[in-house]
Amino acid sequence: MTSSPLAGLADQKSQLLASIAALESLEQLREAEPRLIGKRSVLASLQKSLGSLEPEARREAGALLQEARRVVESALEERRALLARDARLRLLEADRLDLGDVVLGALRVPAAVGHPGLVASTQRELEDVFVTMGFNVADGPEVESDWYNFEALNIPPAHPARGLWDTFYVDLGEPETVVLRTHTSPTQIHLMEEAVRSATLPIHSVMPGRCFRRDTPDARHLATFHQIEGLVVDRGITFAHLAGVIETFTRAYFGPDIESRLRPGFFPFTEPSAEFEVTCTICRGGGCRTCSQTGWIELGGCGMLDPAVFDAVGIDGDEWSGFAFGFGIDRCAQMRHEIADMRALIENDTRFLRQFS
Ligand code: DAH
């Protein structure tokens, strides 16, 4: 009796499966494939040897062999799929681009971190000074009706005082009725109206914000600039309170080296009115291009609230009195940091901006 050609089949099958499991790459698999299941494989030579068997035995052995081949082939396919997936993942991982690494690695500089601009940080410092003095901070719209920006502030249409503010008009509604606010003073009107409506007088507020004027930019002026407005409405308020607030603010913000002075001035919404000036920090009072050789820089205006303004918002001027002031935030930044030309604030030159981080 000759031993069956398939006597070692089980062993051979497990050897084949072990070699398949040991394949580590698609390349190895491709190389090994003919040896595992191809014409030169054990399975192929077993297949050939079945030819010598009786038909009955051949059929049985053939079925066994086919089953073994199916198991081996599907193990091989599974291994191929697994290795292909690993290869794809490795490729993805290798291709992944961490832009942070690339940029920082290539430039060898630390990441540049942004910071608030000089005007924003100046605004915050000014707010801090006034909050310490007992003021609160309020906000108002940048687009105003003619009434808020002018009329309620005692500047009727066609009044010559309108010439003080070169105005940008917004193309909305009747011609010249909607403006980009030329100063922060209209926010005073909003606050007083609101306090009357909600019966919450007195008011002690500052109102910082962006303003717009049809000015040609020069060393001291920008067409888009920032002001901070102050408003106090209370009982028994006098000009002495106003002068005290201005003086306290100047010392707190600019330090003891810088002097301030009030000079008689004119604003339609205050009576009496004054202009508020500080020593020019560029020349320390000696006279230069920035201060037009005067040694002083005008920061803004102030005064006692005009009765016409109280009338416009419905506040009883016999019971209440108040003062207001308004001055340039950009101008404060310019003086504090000795910036000869204000246009540097809007030129976005990072060499300039970086100094104020
Ligand atoms: N709004 C004025 C301007 O922009 C500045 C000003 C003057 C504001 C007197 C005031 C004030 O509140 O009382 O020129």
Side-chain angles (χ1 to χ4, degrees):
M1 185 190 137
T2 54
S3 66
S4 157
L6 298 190
L9 183 62
D11 279 352
Q12 279 152 338
K13 190 172 85 180
S14 28
Q15 265 172 31
L16 284 170
L17 292 177
S19 347
I20 288 172
L23 293 171
E24 280 178 352
S25 69
L26 284 174
E27 217 167 72
Q28 280 183 10
L29 185 144
R30 240 172 271 120
E31 244 171 54
E33 197 169 357
R35 191 164 32 81
L36 296 169
I37 53 165
K39 287 193 192 111
R40 280 173 292 131
S41 66
V42 195
L43 293 174
S45 45
L46 287 176
Q47 185 74 41
K48 273 183 212 134
S49 66
L50 298 189
S52 57
L53 295 177
E54 292 303 313
E56 180 70 2
R58 187 164 15 145
R59 215 175 308 118
E60 266 174 35
L64 273 177
L65 195 57
Q66 222 166 11
E67 174 57 15
R69 176 178 276 279
R70 201 193 54 74
V71 170
V72 171
E73 277 179 355
S74 77
L76 192 68
E77 283 323 303
E78 255 172 49
R79 188 76 194 154
R80 193 197 310 278
L82 191 82
L83 292 173
R85 207 194 60 194
D86 283 356
R88 209 167 42 244
L89 286 180
R90 262 200 306 279
L91 203 69
L92 279 178
E93 190 57 35
D95 271 4
R96 212 184 65 179
L97 222 124
D98 184 331
L99 288 179
D101 285 352
V102 171
V103 172
L104 298 180
L107 299 179
R108 302 213 185 291
V109 291
V113 178
H115 58 87
L118 178 58
V119 174
S121 55
T122 303
Q123 176 173 326
R124 227 171 279 166
E125 285 169 27
L126 294 171
E127 287 173 11
D128 284 351
V129 170
F130 284 109
V131 166
T132 313
M133 291 165 72
F135 288 79
N136 55 38
V137 181
D139 215 3
E142 292 178 349
V143 177
E144 286 285 13
S145 66
D146 183 90
W147 195 79
Y148 282 101
N149 197 78
F150 292 123
E151 259 189 87
L153 290 162
N154 197 27
I155 318 166
H159 190 282
R162 289 208 177 195
L164 293 172
W165 296 277
D166 289 316
T167 309
F168 282 117
Y169 289 95
V170 178
D171 193 4
L172 205 74
E174 294 290 302
E176 302 199 356
T177 54
V178 181
V179 306
L180 294 184
R181 68 175 174 193
T182 57
H183 48 178
T184 41
S185 300
T187 311
Q188 289 182 27
I189 303 296
H190 288 288
L191 287 196
M192 286 189 275
E193 281 183 341
E194 181 53 34
V196 168
R197 234 189 332 262
S198 54
T200 50
L201 283 171
I203 299 171
H204 307 91
S205 298
V206 288
M207 298 143 262
R210 197 152 58 137
C211 306
F212 311 84
R213 281 188 207 170
R214 270 180 50 198
D215 273 341
T216 307
D218 63 25
R220 273 178 305 166
H221 300 91
L222 299 174
T224 298
F225 59 101
H226 301 77
Q227 287 190 336
I228 184 161
E229 191 82 11
L231 175 68
V232 169
V233 179
D234 208 334
R235 293 186 174 91
I237 296 294
T238 70
F239 200 93
H241 294 117
L242 167 59
V245 164
I246 297 284
E247 181 64 16
T248 309
F249 155 75
T250 308
R251 291 196 176 279
Y253 182 72
F254 290 105
D257 291 355
I258 297 300
E259 292 195 13
S260 67
R261 68 176 185 184
L262 295 177
R263 297 207 308 161
F266 171 76
F267 295 99
F269 32 94
T270 41
E271 182 58 36
S273 301
E275 281 172 9
F276 161 31
E277 297 183 336
V278 294
T279 319
C280 176
T281 55
I282 312 288
C283 60
R284 299 275 148 186
C288 68
R289 187 175 64 98
T290 309
C291 62
S292 308
Q293 312 303 332
T294 63
W296 294 92
I297 287 279
E298 188 195 329
L299 274 194
C302 57
M304 301 306 291
L305 288 177
D306 193 288
V309 174
F310 276 156
D311 285 349
V313 295
I315 288 181
D316 178 359
D318 289 334
E319 184 182 354
W320 304 95
S321 58
F323 64 78
F325 57 84
F327 57 84
I329 295 176
D330 322 71
R331 196 65 68 74
C332 284
Q334 179 178 31
M335 285 301 108
R336 171 87 167 257
H337 298 281
E338 300 170 31
I339 298 162
D341 195 319
M342 189 110 103
R343 284 168 289 196
L345 292 175
I346 53 169
E347 276 165 0
N348 279 342
D349 184 333
T350 51
R351 290 168 302 179
F352 172 78
L353 299 174
R354 263 203 305 268
Q355 301 175 85
F356 308 105
S357 61

